[in-house]
Amino acid sequence: MPFPLIEKISLDMIKRKVRFFFLLAVMTNVMLRAQSQAFEVFEQVLPGTKVAFKMTPIPGGTFMLGSPAGETGRSEDEGPQVKIKVDSFFMGVHEVTFDVYEVFRDKTLDQTGVAEGWSADAITRPSPPYEDPTFGMGKYSFPAASMTQYAALSFCKWLWEKNGVFYRLPTEAEWEYAARAGTTSPYFWGEDASKLDDYAWHAGNSEGKYHHVGEKQPNPWGLYDMYGNVGEWTLDQYVEDFYSSLQEGTESPWSRPTKLHPRTVKGGCYKDDAPHLRSATRIKSNMDWKRRDPQIPKSFWWNTDSPFVGFRLIAPYPQPTKEKAAAFWAEVLDE
């Protein structure tokens, strides 16, 4: 009588399959919840210190990079506008402050609590600056400034070596995407430049100096001082007609550096007026920013004449593999 046996085997198989798919659904749900929980605001404490900074999630999406032809204050290098795609990432809620950057500068501040395998002696740190990088404007809780793009990138690599989290500078596209926060107007609050005082330190209210981070109102994604205070290094080589080389739908565009200058800075600074603090404004670096540097060749750590330039961190989501991160550093720090 084979039929009862076949029926029994079939029912057992069905039960096993039901259990399998039930467990698969449970595991998938757990994984999705873990991913969702991971993509949220977090605070990074530097091991061995009480110094910390906050990162907030920026969901990926598409947007129009650059500015439309009729935008007030527009420069030709902001076009043509092109629709591009940006992947998700975390971004620093504030510009990197001297509190955080000084731990990188001074190896005596971080001799405990380092990541396994990390050696303070193995990390190349900035040489002493030739001029006071703060220019007397303030240090703790103020944005770190006067460093070169190379120094900002080296800081990011140091964080990776120290904490195992891959941080870097944002690309031009990522920076502008985060600054706009889903808006299409010149400023993330609209077109009315008279509201700038509520959101930025600029030429009209800064008294010629940068200020504590986070004193003004943030943009819709919770990012402070995206306009003004200090300009912010990006990862890109400045190329005047870069946008014209992009196709609609380009994913995560990056103008890879081929020479030391010019590199792109975004956001404007405390010395700039309203037209230079728009989301689309592009600023190109130049050697005049280290005019008083007596070193020959000039220092690759400090710009003696640019207290108006700092930087902000991003962390890609998801994180790259260790191998991809190492390849990235080999590329961008090969000066």
Side-chain angles (χ1 to χ4, degrees), residues 8-20:
K8 183 178 179 181
I9 293 173
S10 298
L11 288 173
D12 287 343
M13 289 179 64
I14 291 171
K15 289 178 181 178
R16 285 198 297 270
K17 287 183 178 181
V18 168
R19 286 197 296 269
F20 170 77

Side-chain angles (χ1 to χ4, degrees), residues 201-230:
W201 293 110
H202 58 96
N205 67 357
S206 70
E207 298 181 340
K209 59 185 179 182
Y210 57 61
H211 292 255
H212 287 117
V213 299
E215 290 187 334
K216 296 295 185 178
Q217 295 182 38
N219 80 352
W221 284 348
L223 301 169
Y224 292 82
D225 302 306
M226 288 299 281
Y227 305 146
N229 219 20
V230 293

Side-chain angles (χ1 to χ4, degrees), residues 22-49:
F22 174 76
L23 290 173
L24 180 63
V26 170
M27 292 173 64
T28 301
N29 185 53
V30 170
M31 291 173 63
L32 289 173
R33 286 175 60 193
Q35 290 175 0
S36 175
Q37 291 168 353
F39 197 52
E40 60 188 19
V41 176
F42 72 90
E43 186 175 75
Q44 175 74 71
V45 179
L46 297 183
T49 77

Side-chain angles (χ1 to χ4, degrees), residues 129-190:
Y130 298 108
E131 301 284 346
D132 173 14
T134 74
F135 281 63
M137 290 185 282
K139 192 172 187 181
Y140 299 116
S141 296
F142 290 91
S146 298
M147 77 290 294
T148 62
Q149 189 212 47
Y150 178 89
L153 284 167
S154 296
F155 171 82
C156 296
K157 182 174 185 287
W158 171 79
L159 279 177
W160 174 62
E161 295 273 1
K162 192 171 183 61
N163 297 302
V165 179
F166 180 77
Y167 295 99
R168 61 169 170 81
L169 300 179
T171 62
E172 275 194 62
E174 289 167 335
W175 190 98
E176 186 173 326
Y177 176 75
R180 290 187 179 280
T183 66
T184 59
S185 50
Y187 309 98
F188 54 71
W189 62 83

Side-chain angles (χ1 to χ4, degrees), residues 85-97:
K85 183 179 183 296
V86 174
D87 294 330
S88 298
F89 56 92
F90 292 93
M91 192 171 213
V93 171
H94 303 109
E95 295 157 334
V96 172
T97 63

Side-chain angles (χ1 to χ4, degrees), residues 91-330:
M91 192 171 213
V93 171
H94 303 109
E95 295 157 334
V96 172
T97 63
F98 272 110
D99 313 50
V100 175
Y101 193 70
E102 191 172 55
V103 180
F104 169 55
R105 279 183 51 195
D106 188 349
K107 67 181 179 181
T108 65
L109 296 177
D110 63 348
Q111 295 303 299
T112 61
V114 298
E116 182 179 355
W118 186 86
S119 169
D121 294 334
I123 303 299
T124 302
R125 298 170 184 270
S127 57
Y130 298 108
E131 301 284 346
D132 173 14
T134 74
F135 281 63
M137 290 185 282
K139 192 172 187 181
Y140 299 116
S141 296
F142 290 91
S146 298
M147 77 290 294
T148 62
Q149 189 212 47
Y150 178 89
L153 284 167
S154 296
F155 171 82
C156 296
K157 182 174 185 287
W158 171 79
L159 279 177
W160 174 62
E161 295 273 1
K162 192 171 183 61
N163 297 302
V165 179
F166 180 77
Y167 295 99
R168 61 169 170 81
L169 300 179
T171 62
E172 275 194 62
E174 289 167 335
W175 190 98
E176 186 173 326
Y177 176 75
R180 290 187 179 280
T183 66
T184 59
S185 50
Y187 309 98
F188 54 71
W189 62 83
E191 298 184 7
D192 187 358
S194 68
K195 294 183 178 180
L196 198 59
D197 284 356
D198 295 333
Y199 299 93
W201 293 110
H202 58 96
N205 67 357
S206 70
E207 298 181 340
K209 59 185 179 182
Y210 57 61
H211 292 255
H212 287 117
V213 299
E215 290 187 334
K216 296 295 185 178
Q217 295 182 38
N219 80 352
W221 284 348
L223 301 169
Y224 292 82
D225 302 306
M226 288 299 281
Y227 305 146
N229 219 20
V230 293
E232 300 176 12
W233 284 114
T234 72
L235 201 56
D236 291 48
Q237 182 85 56
Y238 173 85
V239 177
E240 185 174 4
D241 60 352
F242 178 55
Y243 297 175
S244 65
S245 69
L246 303 177
Q247 301 294 320
E248 181 172 342
T250 297
E251 296 187 15
S252 303
W254 173 28
S255 177
R256 280 176 159 76
T258 57
K259 53 186 177 180
L260 187 59
H261 287 289
R263 303 287 173 95
T264 305
V265 173
K266 295 284 285 184
C269 73
Y270 62 88
K271 301 199 304 181
D272 290 327
D273 54 15
H276 295 97
L277 272 66
R278 295 170 298 109
S279 295
T281 300
R282 305 173 71 203
I283 302 163
K284 55 182 178 180
S285 69
N286 64 75
M287 288 299 292
D288 285 346
W289 292 2
K290 54 172 75 264
R291 187 171 55 253
R292 290 178 293 167
D293 184 347
Q295 179 174 305
I296 303 296
K298 293 184 181 295
S299 171
F300 51 80
W301 292 111
W302 297 100
N303 287 323
T304 53
D305 298 281
S306 67
F308 46 83
V309 177
F311 66 106
R312 188 182 302 256
L313 299 172
I314 76 160
Y317 180 84
Q319 287 272 283
T321 63
K322 186 176 181 179
E323 292 73 23
K324 287 185 177 181
F328 172 84
W329 294 123

